[in-house]
Amino acid sequence: MRINNITVHNFRILHNSTLDFRDPICLLLGRNNTGKTSFMVLVEKFLRNGSFNFDDFSVQLRDKLLAFDEKTDENELSIRMIFDVAYTEEDNLSNLSEFFIDLSPECNEVHLLFECAINKKRMLKGLSSKGTMSSDKFIQKHISEYLEKSVYTFGDVADLRTENRYRLIKKDFKQIDKLIDFEIIHAKRSVSSSEEKNGTKVLSSIATSYFNQHNKSAPDQFQEINDVIEEMDDRLDGKYATFFAPFLKNAKDFLNMGELKVVSSLKAREIVSDSSEVVYGDPAEQLPEYLNGLGHMNILYLLLNIEAKKKLFMENDKDIKLFFIEEPEAHTHPQLQYIFAEKIGSLLSGIHNMQTVISTHSPHIVSNHPFEHIRYMARIQESNGVNIKIKNFHQELSKKYAGQKKEFAFIKQYLTIESAELFFADKAIFIEGVSEGILIKYFMKRYDDEMIAREKSRQKTAPSIPTSYVPLNVQNITIIQAGANAKAFQHLIDFLGIPTLILTDIDTIHPAKPIRGTTTYSSCPVSAPDACNTSNATIKYYLAAPDFGTPLFSDWFKEMLGHKRACISPSIAVQYQYEECDYYPRSFEDAFINVNLDSLIKFIGDLDGLKQREVLESATITTNIYELTGKIIDKKSSFASSLLYIALTTDGFDWNTPKYITEGLKWIQSANCR
């Protein structure tokens, strides 16, 4: 027995969202403000008797809520959560059978509706007696007093329409409590530093709770500990008798009472709570828990909490077990996040029918999980406002890549720690080589500085016009070095719905000498009269090149050189070299040398990764840049690193940015997410 889907209606940003819950672990991902926390909170509110207020209703309902009157259909304004529960003949159906509607042998699913709705009669009465307070303010402030939670079982989605509500069968939440067990570990955990907590033993408290829980349910396992405590009890009785004898004799004589004694009443739970603590370090140098780092504290807290929750699940042994963990990476360094991702599966194993949701912002955790577990929360602009779609990553992408198996295999292998950041990015920049990787952030800062200076200059003449420029360095942009394989990412980019800039090289080629009767092609300057193609698969893919050798290809090639071809994806901009300073570069290196030749000669003594330095020293404005680049560049990474070093250590100096990079940064800066 398990929950196949959880559907949410009208709760905060989750106007109409469905989580595919078929896998034992669901990794809930998405950019900030996509409803990960809201999803968990809603489940907790319904299953843990939480309350609702005006801010819990989706924006799409606000106007109707504020206009509430006799004509309002209150059913359309309810917050809903639907569980689609699947079962088999092997399951114990004694609790689930309370929710059966369809008794046919073919039926293997039950639908549960959790609803928070307005009591219309009471709400109208409240509005009629609100006094001088405006209706809007009254509703915003007092609507929680008129909200009622209910749970129903139903046959199909048609039953949810107002005219069919008579088909809904109301149930008691006590029946839900018998069926579903729910536990959650929130992101806002009580783990903190010694300075914040002044030495509070948070981990020790959890350890105490864990001990007491197990001791209560299985005392035989703790008999040795309990025997030690009983022995301590007896010994303390004797010590107390000797120590308190004078006081007790005087008290007895004064009060004229019978025999008085002070006896020990040790209890295991009290002993563990008050007289134990978690320490760390070597035996000779043990330190208390509050001096440990927050990362280790958090992981230890999680592990102890998970073990305690597992024990509760096993003790209760309900048919459906839901376990939510919110942001396990909090305060935790990457290595521990890796370890958590590796171990969580085995840690949660052994509990029948347990379904786990883990929300995270950590690429370290994502990259170490099967892609089948990933659920991506994406903001979708709909006709009535923004909604959140919860996408099944593997399921949806496997369909998109159905005809591109190699590309899909590459994506799954490539989504390592670096590229897994795409799941949390607002925008992305794909670069081709190591040189661009070293310098791209410098170019971004240079672009920001120039644009901010322009904005300040404009404001002097037009101060009434507000600044609209949003610097690249404050935008959530992930940079990926994809090399020549950027074409493999199209479906992933479209799936994520994030604007993506691809910076690549034009890589023109021309016919070379035939080998065994077959024409071969080699690199050549863009201006070469026989340049007829590009070896760049990314450009040909995204700009939809016809087959080489066909009549259409020649026209395509000319249009590509002139930047007159549109990208096949609206989310993606492909930028490659432009003609500038009377030269059309072929690659990043010669594009950079072309616009920085004088400065390169000036700083030649500080440049690394060069060969034939004398060729650069003697270069002039008339030098063939294509040939120059081939003669002087030896190690691209060393060359780029020295360029960055010069820029960062030379006051008042900046390298010029090649035009195609500037145009690309202009596009990504102003691009909007879907």
Side-chain angles (χ1 to χ4, degrees):
M1 190 182 308
R2 64 186 307 99
I3 297 174
N4 276 347
N5 300 289
I6 298 178
T7 299
V8 178
H9 294 293
N10 304 327
F11 184 69
R12 300 181 182 174
I13 199 172
L14 305 173
H15 183 62
N16 183 10
S17 307
T18 299
L19 172 70
D20 183 343
F21 207 6
R22 288 176 173 83
D23 294 294
I25 296 178
C26 287
L27 213 59
L28 210 56
L29 315 179
R31 305 191 293 271
N32 288 326
N33 301 314
T34 52
K36 296 185 294 295
T37 298
S38 293
F39 181 88
M40 292 191 165
V41 166
L42 179 64
V43 178
E44 186 177 27
K45 281 178 178 285
F46 276 122
L47 298 183
R48 285 284 182 83
N49 199 31
S51 60
F52 292 83
N53 56 51
F54 180 82
D55 294 329
D56 287 327
F57 289 85
S58 65
V59 173
Q60 290 88 336
L61 298 185
R62 299 287 175 83
D63 289 343
K64 291 182 179 180
L65 280 172
L66 296 175
F68 194 95
D69 58 19
E70 294 85 355
K71 298 178 181 178
T72 301
D73 184 351
E74 70 276 20
N75 297 314
E76 294 180 356
L77 303 181
S78 62
I79 295 171
R80 295 174 173 177
M81 179 176 74
I82 298 169
F83 284 1
D84 298 326
V85 182
Y87 60 90
T88 67
E89 294 180 354
E90 286 74 32
D91 290 319
N92 183 343
L93 303 178
S94 58
N95 293 318
L96 188 64
S97 63
E98 295 287 339
F99 303 92
F100 282 179
I101 292 180
D102 188 346
L103 299 179
S104 63
E106 295 79 19
C107 182
N108 65 348
E109 198 168 56
V110 166
H111 306 289
L112 306 178
L113 168 64
F114 299 83
E115 186 175 61
C116 174
I118 300 169
N119 185 310
K120 186 174 183 177
K121 185 177 180 180
R122 292 178 55 235
M123 179 79 153
L124 290 174
K125 185 177 180 180
L127 284 168
S128 66
S129 59
K130 62 181 176 59
T132 59
M133 184 182 294
S134 69
S135 296
D136 286 11
K137 188 174 182 180
F138 179 86
I139 290 171
Q140 292 180 49
K141 189 175 181 179
H142 295 286
I143 193 173
S144 58
E145 300 169 22
Y146 306 102
L147 297 176
E148 297 177 352
K149 291 192 297 184
S150 305
V151 61
Y152 305 88
T153 184
F154 65 96
D156 57 55
V157 292
D159 297 346
L160 302 178
R161 293 199 286 265
T162 298
E163 64 270 22
N164 297 329
R165 283 188 66 87
Y166 68 91
R167 301 177 187 174
L168 301 179
I169 301 175
K170 193 170 185 178
K171 295 293 182 178
D172 196 310
F173 272 95
K174 291 180 180 179
Q175 294 170 304
I176 292 294
D177 189 55
K178 292 179 181 178
L179 179 69
I180 302 173
D181 201 355
F182 172 76
E183 295 290 341
I184 186 169
I185 301 176
H186 287 287
K188 294 182 178 179
R189 295 180 277 275
S190 53
V191 176
S192 61
S193 67
S194 58
E195 289 79 8
E196 292 173 348
K197 283 293 184 179
N198 197 27
T200 298
K201 298 189 293 183
V202 178
L203 298 181
S204 300
S205 301
I206 296 294
T208 299
S209 177
Y210 179 76
F211 172 84
N212 292 335
Q213 184 184 10
H214 283 65
N215 194 19
K216 181 181 179 181
S217 61
D220 292 345
Q221 298 179 15
F222 299 88
Q223 191 57 51
E224 290 186 6
I225 296 176
N226 293 318
D227 289 345
V228 171
I229 293 172
E230 289 182 12
E231 183 182 337
M232 291 173 62
D233 248 351
D234 294 338
R235 293 181 64 184
L236 283 172
D237 280 346
K239 296 293 183 181
Y240 288 168
T242 301
F243 182 80
F244 289 106
F247 162 75
L248 294 173
K249 183 178 183 304
N250 291 334
K252 177 184 176 184
D253 294 341
F254 184 84
L255 298 172
N256 194 25
M257 296 177 62
E259 196 69 23
L260 291 176
K261 290 183 179 180
V262 175
V263 298
S264 175
S265 59
L266 295 177
K267 297 179 180 178
R269 66 180 62 217
E270 295 172 353
I271 288 286
V272 175
S273 176
D274 298 330
S275 304
S276 62
E277 63 180 358
V278 177
V279 298
Y280 72 102
D282 296 330
E285 299 178 354
Q286 288 179 341
L287 297 173
E289 70 175 68
Y290 66 85
L291 294 180
N292 205 347
L294 287 178
H296 283 87
M297 292 251 310
N298 181 63
I299 289 295
L300 289 170
Y301 180 94
L302 277 174
L303 294 177
L304 286 167
N305 227 337
I306 289 171
E307 288 295 334
K309 303 293 188 187
K310 284 173 62 179
K311 183 67 175 175
L312 288 173
F313 280 126
M314 289 186 286
E315 288 178 353
N316 297 331
D317 195 25
K318 297 180 183 180
D319 301 293
I320 297 172
K321 306 174 182 68
L322 300 181
F323 189 20
F324 288 7
I325 304 174
E326 189 180 14
E327 299 180 15
E329 69 273 11
H331 311 299
T332 305
H333 65 70
Q335 186 58 37
L336 284 179
Q337 293 174 35
Y338 266 124
I339 293 171
F340 177 85
E342 283 184 349
K343 303 294 185 183
I344 187 63
S346 60
L347 197 63
L348 298 175
S349 65
I351 301 180
H352 183 61
N353 278 2
M354 188 165 77
Q355 295 176 264
T356 303
V357 176
I358 302 172
S359 72
T360 182
H361 289 94
S362 169
H364 306 275
I365 291 177
V366 176
S367 63
N368 220 10
H369 260 275
F371 293 152
E372 289 80 1
H373 293 174
I374 294 176
R375 303 293 186 270
Y376 182 74
M377 305 185 75
R379 298 172 70 96
I380 306 295
Q381 186 64 48
E382 298 178 346
S383 58
N384 59 346
V386 175
N387 185 39
I388 300 298
K389 183 179 180 182
I390 308 176
K391 301 180 179 181
N392 186 318
F393 174 78
H394 189 270
Q395 188 179 85
E396 292 195 30
L397 276 190
S398 58
K399 293 178 182 177
K400 292 287 186 180
Y401 283 99
Q404 300 172 287
K405 292 184 178 181
K406 289 184 178 179
E407 285 81 358
F408 193 37
F410 169 78
I411 289 293
K412 290 194 288 185
Q413 291 295 321
Y414 195 81
L415 280 179
T416 58
I417 179 58
E418 180 183 15
S419 51
E421 291 181 0
L422 284 169
F423 287 109
F424 312 101
D426 292 328
K427 301 178 181 181
I429 298 176
F430 282 61
I431 56 176
E432 184 163 312
V434 64
S435 299
E436 297 96 314
I438 293 170
L439 293 168
I440 185 63
K441 289 189 176 180
Y442 167 75
F443 292 138
M444 292 167 68
K445 183 181 183 304
R446 179 115 164 78
Y447 183 82
D448 278 343
D449 291 344
E450 290 179 357
M451 296 304 297
I452 291 169
R454 285 188 195 179
E455 284 286 301
K456 289 180 178 179
S457 178
R458 181 193 57 75
Q459 283 195 303
K460 289 181 180 179
T461 57
S464 61
I465 302 175
T467 299
S468 59
Y469 184 76
V470 181
L472 291 164
N473 68 0
V474 301
Q475 300 188 40
N476 183 18
I477 301 176
T478 290
I479 299 170
I480 303 293
Q481 187 171 324
N485 298 302
K487 70 183 186 73
F489 286 87
Q490 185 214 334
H491 297 308
L492 174 62
I493 294 167
D494 290 342
F495 172 89
L496 298 174
I498 58 175
T500 299
L501 168 65
I502 298 176
L503 295 174
T504 191
D505 294 335
I506 198 167
D507 291 336
T508 45
I509 56 177
H510 67 165
K513 292 181 180 180
I515 299 177
R516 299 189 183 101
T518 302
T519 302
T520 61
Y521 295 85
S522 60
S523 61
C524 69
V526 178
S527 60
D530 58 347
C532 60
N533 199 353
T534 171
S535 61
N536 192 310
T538 294
I539 290 177
K540 289 194 281 190
Y541 176 80
Y542 284 107
L543 302 187
D547 290 336
F548 179 63
T550 63
L552 292 174
F553 188 87
S554 179
D555 292 337
W556 175 89
F557 185 69
K558 292 176 182 177
E559 291 175 359
M560 183 271 294
L561 292 180
H563 291 263
K564 297 178 180 179
R565 298 290 300 189
C567 184
I568 61 174
S569 172
S571 303
I572 299 172
V574 180
Q575 286 290 345
Y576 47 92
Q577 289 75 28
Y578 286 88
E579 183 177 1
E580 55 183 323
C581 302
D582 297 322
Y583 174 68
Y584 201 139
R586 183 183 186 273
S587 66
F588 165 74
E589 284 75 22
D590 65 332
F592 184 89
I593 291 171
N594 179 50
V595 296
N596 289 285
L597 182 59
D598 290 343
S599 296
L600 288 168
I601 295 171
K602 177 182 176 182
F603 290 101
I604 192 170
D606 299 315
L607 295 175
D608 297 325
L610 295 183
K611 59 184 179 180
Q612 302 186 58
R613 292 175 179 268
E614 69 281 359
V615 176
L616 176 59
E617 287 178 316
S618 61
T620 67
I621 194 171
T622 61
T623 298
N624 185 312
I625 301 297
Y626 176 81
E627 293 180 357
L628 174 67
T629 303
K631 290 179 180 179
I632 68 171
I633 299 296
D634 184 23
K635 296 181 179 179
K636 294 181 180 180
S637 59
S638 298
F639 177 63
S641 296
S642 64
L643 296 176
L644 183 61
Y645 180 83
I646 291 168
L648 297 179
T649 58
T650 307
D651 292 338
F653 173 77
D654 280 301
W655 298 108
N656 294 318
T657 306
K659 182 181 178 182
Y660 78 101
I661 295 178
T662 300
E663 291 297 313
L665 296 178
K666 180 180 179 182
W667 180 87
I668 197 70
Q669 188 276 330
S670 58
N672 295 316
C673 297
R674 293 206 300 264

